[in-house]
Amino acid sequence: TPSFTVDEKKQLFHCFGCGAGGDVVSFIMQKEGLSYPESLEFLANRAGINLIYQNDQGQNKYKVLNF
């Protein structure tokens, strides 16, 4: 609709109706109700990219090693 726009160059979206906006990851987070890591996995799966993770020394952080 005219109240929703996507800037392909900047890779950003904005909804003038509700004020939501951001990049592709934040769009997927909002649309699908996913967390940031879940959104990355969702997008990687859609693009056919296999993500490999490494747990960061017992912390609750993960690094993407290869894709």
Side-chain angles (χ1 to χ4, degrees):
T1 69
S3 65
F4 186 87
T5 185
V6 175
D7 186 326
E8 290 184 39
K9 261 188 158 176
K10 294 180 182 178
Q11 298 183 355
L12 299 173
F13 77 95
H14 183 78
C15 176
F16 295 98
C18 70
D23 61 9
V24 66
V25 177
S26 61
F27 179 79
I28 295 299
M29 288 173 65
Q30 292 175 36
K31 183 178 179 296
E32 301 294 329
L34 301 174
S35 67
Y36 183 81
E38 291 169 334
S39 296
L40 293 179
E41 288 180 7
F42 177 91
L43 291 166
N45 287 337
R46 292 272 318 243
I49 298 171
N50 187 22
L51 300 178
I52 301 170
Y53 300 95
Q54 174 185 1
N55 191 337
D56 220 5
Q57 303 271 334
Q59 298 176 7
N60 234 0
K61 297 179 182 176
Y62 290 88
K63 293 180 184 176
V64 176
L65 295 177
N66 192 11
F67 57 91

